[in-house]
Amino acid sequence: MVKLTAILNWNGFHNIPKKYIKRAMFNGVVYENTHEMTPPVIYNYTKDWVFDEYAPWTKMAQIKNDPRKQRSTLIVPPLREWFFFRGDKVQIMTGKDAGKQGLINAIIKQRNWVFVSGLNCKLTLQSSTGVAGDGEYTMVEKPLVVNRDVKLIDPSDLKPCEVTFRFTEDGEKVRVSKRTGQVLPIPPDAEATIDYAKKSTYKPGDKDTSPNELVKETFIPKYMSFELDLMQEYGIKETKQKGQTYVY
Amino acid sequence: MFLKSILSKFNGVLILGTHKNLLIKVKKANLIEFFDDKKNWTEEKVKHGRPWTIDELRLKSNLDLHKLWFVLHKERNMLLTMEEIYTRKGIPMPSHERVAKVDESMENLLAVVEERNIAYNLLETGETKKLVPYRRYNSFGHIQYYKQREYLVPWYLNRMWKLKYHYKKIPVIYFYDIQINSI
């Protein structure tokens, strides 16, 4: 799939743990210039994070969420269900590219955004300073709001439709178009990440545990605490008796 | 000198203890193990996996968890030294999310150990024996975050503790702890 810009679905595309993202989105107060004659500087990082096409751990997102900057409050209407996946064919309903069809490039759920590859683009000047790529113009894809600007396509008649989730007789959850009842299968690109295109094709590295060893069950329940069990395994014998202690 | 002689005697392998089906061996430690593999020093991205989940760790025995802890601890030490070097040089660290991944699997491991100990304690005593931090009044009358600890003497004999936290122990409601009074 063609990607004009570096915008990616950072929600699922990068295999980055939640703790790391939370650390990047720092929420607290920072005191600077303390123990000086001049008064201390206080930065309040207590505002809600504004999610963007840039991932929170990148420099661009950190600049945009600077506490010294003034910004208006942002209200994102919550959705009941999410129907859009990477690799889906969609039609654009509004804007200059209205009526055109394309594939979904990236998703940002926090803003109800979707990027369509090669569509709804804008020419931007790369930079005006003396760095590499000076004076270059690039096409940048702009976000589209889900259900309003973009609609999924029914595969039977290739026209935009409204979608719901329904269950098959086997108990599988599938997307179905309301108009014709056609099933919209989830594309294989949806599970692709930066490390692998498909989950089954991933090759473990040097430090990864092999899948056979991962599933192996070695736990046998015993009437023992963790420490007592280890002492028995290593052959450590404790002769001293434990005295009374107080917890408070 | 003493360590060196021992290491040379066992040909690079130290045997710590023996058991009928178990042999604990420690390789000859080099300081280079604090650093990453030399191939990864100049790369932009290092290939690595994902953290251990709680469901996977529940399958493993206590001995396996004990071994895995030291593997993770060693990896974390290595990553932190590399992070320090990269910050000194002013170069961005390749795949800097690895530290958080190791942290996550270590947290999950501790959670599994706690689960097993709580199950044992509940059978033994009917209490979880879990030290849950709570908020209480200190001697100045302010509300303070307080962590419980194990002491050798009771609180009314502990003079320093009384100066710090007032002589009167207020009753505390445990929100997160399970307390079974009668079955």
Side-chain angles (χ1 to χ4, degrees):
Chain A
M1 210 182 295
V2 184
K3 280 178 189 120
L4 295 180
T5 53
I7 302 160
L8 293 166
N9 178 15
W10 54 261
N11 277 314
F13 193 78
H14 298 271
N15 286 316
I16 277 181
K18 279 182 185 176
K19 200 184 169 187
Y20 185 84
I21 297 168
K22 219 173 185 182
R23 205 185 291 164
M25 304 192 299
F26 175 71
N27 196 319
V29 185
V30 174
Y31 296 90
E32 272 181 20
N33 201 27
T34 48
H35 309 293
E36 295 287 334
M37 290 290 280
T38 48
V41 187
I42 301 161
Y43 297 123
N44 259 312
Y45 286 87
T46 46
K47 280 180 190 169
D48 286 349
W49 191 270
V50 175
F51 291 97
D52 216 342
E53 63 252 49
Y54 305 104
W57 60 87
T58 54
K59 191 100 181 175
M60 207 62 198
Q62 300 286 339
I63 292 164
K64 286 207 167 188
N65 284 288
D66 201 321
R68 286 163 288 187
K69 242 181 186 176
Q70 274 196 354
R71 56 163 192 261
S72 55
T73 52
L74 197 133
I75 299 161
V76 181
L79 295 178
R80 194 161 286 178
E81 272 175 313
W82 186 267
F83 300 110
F84 294 80
F85 295 93
R86 209 187 302 109
D88 269 334
K89 212 173 185 184
V90 288
Q91 182 163 329
I92 298 174
M93 309 304 287
T94 56
K96 63 174 182 179
D97 281 336
K100 285 183 183 176
Q101 295 185 349
L103 297 172
I104 288 176
N105 202 357
I107 298 159
I108 285 147
K109 278 188 186 179
Q110 283 89 341
R111 295 288 293 269
N112 301 339
W113 279 357
V114 144
F115 293 84
V116 182
S117 62
L119 290 178
N120 200 32
C121 291
K122 200 185 174 187
L123 269 178
T124 48
L125 188 63
Q126 195 66 20
S127 67
S128 53
T129 53
V131 288
D134 185 15
E136 266 184 23
Y137 277 93
T138 49
M139 295 284 273
V140 177
E141 289 146 340
K142 288 288 157 187
L144 293 156
V145 177
V146 155
N147 299 332
R148 192 191 75 188
D149 300 343
V150 148
K151 274 188 177 176
L152 283 167
I153 286 171
D154 196 334
S156 61
D157 56 355
L158 301 178
K159 279 176 184 173
C161 63
E162 289 195 4
V163 181
T164 51
F165 273 117
R166 269 175 206 167
F167 288 94
T168 58
E169 289 180 357
D170 304 334
E172 277 184 67
K173 205 181 179 187
V174 287
R175 287 186 298 175
V176 171
S177 89
K178 275 184 181 175
R179 184 149 46 77
T180 56
Q182 186 79 19
V183 176
L184 307 174
I186 290 167
D189 274 354
E191 65 167 337
T193 65
I194 202 161
D195 293 333
Y196 50 81
K198 274 184 181 177
K199 220 168 193 178
S200 54
T201 58
Y202 177 73
K203 285 176 186 173
D206 304 333
K207 286 180 177 178
D208 293 348
T209 44
S210 63
N212 293 326
E213 201 145 304
L214 190 79
V215 185
K216 205 188 277 178
E217 197 178 328
T218 53
F219 177 61
I220 305 152
K222 289 175 187 169
Y223 188 60
M224 258 177 204
S225 69
F226 181 80
E227 291 83 5
L228 284 171
D229 189 18
L230 281 183
M231 275 168 74
Q232 203 195 45
E233 291 283 349
Y234 289 121
I236 302 163
K237 277 172 189 174
E238 184 63 55
T239 50
K240 289 180 206 164
Q241 275 194 343
K242 204 191 174 189
Q244 199 187 1
T245 53
Y246 304 88
V247 176
Y248 48 87
Chain B
M1 286 299 290
F2 176 67
L3 238 173
K4 220 174 190 179
S5 62
I6 292 170
L7 288 172
S8 61
K9 202 183 276 180
F10 288 101
N11 203 12
V13 173
L14 246 170
I15 299 161
L16 283 180
T18 49
H19 193 238
K20 49 184 175 181
N21 289 324
L22 188 81
L23 250 174
I24 311 147
K25 287 175 182 177
V26 177
K27 265 188 185 177
K28 193 171 152 185
N30 280 326
L31 281 177
I32 199 72
E33 286 183 30
F34 275 108
F35 300 90
D36 204 354
D37 195 12
K38 211 165 189 178
K39 286 183 282 179
N40 301 333
W41 286 5
T42 50
E43 277 187 32
E44 281 186 14
K45 226 182 82 181
V46 182
K47 203 191 170 190
H48 60 279
R50 59 171 179 81
W52 284 80
T53 60
I54 287 187
D55 293 340
E56 285 157 7
L57 289 166
R58 275 183 192 134
L59 299 176
K60 303 299 171 195
S61 66
N62 291 337
L63 194 67
D64 282 355
L65 293 183
H66 191 238
K67 283 174 184 172
L68 182 63
W69 176 263
F70 285 101
V71 171
L72 292 168
H73 205 286
K74 211 173 163 187
E75 183 71 13
R76 205 179 116 86
N77 266 339
M78 186 273 284
L79 289 170
L80 290 174
T81 39
M82 290 311 285
E83 205 176 29
E84 182 65 32
I85 292 160
Y86 280 114
T87 45
R88 273 189 206 175
K89 297 253 178 189
I91 312 164
M93 188 183 167
S95 331
H96 45 307
E97 71 273 10
R98 280 179 288 171
V99 186
K101 283 189 182 182
V102 174
D103 277 359
E104 200 180 309
S105 39
M106 280 169 108
E107 270 174 25
N108 289 347
L109 200 152
L110 281 181
V112 172
V113 171
E114 201 179 36
E115 253 178 30
R116 288 177 189 177
N117 276 347
I118 281 172
Y120 173 75
N121 286 337
L122 279 172
L123 284 169
E124 276 282 292
T125 59
E127 284 170 8
T128 55
K129 296 284 179 83
K130 201 178 158 187
L131 302 184
V132 186
Y134 59 91
R135 291 185 302 167
R136 62 165 297 156
Y137 293 104
N138 62 6
S139 54
F140 294 104
H142 296 140
I143 291 169
Q144 194 180 358
Y145 184 73
Y146 180 72
K147 275 182 182 176
Q148 282 183 325
R149 260 178 62 194
E150 208 172 5
Y151 291 92
L152 288 169
V153 286
W155 65 271
Y156 48 83
L157 295 176
N158 198 341
R159 191 171 152 271
M160 285 314 287
W161 189 89
K162 273 197 287 185
L163 280 170
K164 230 178 172 182
Y165 299 106
H166 201 263
Y167 65 94
K168 204 174 168 187
K169 199 186 175 202
I170 50 169
V172 190
I173 306 155
Y174 294 91
F175 290 105
Y176 308 106
D177 202 357
I178 313 153
Q179 281 191 331
I180 297 164
N181 295 320
S182 61
I183 299 164

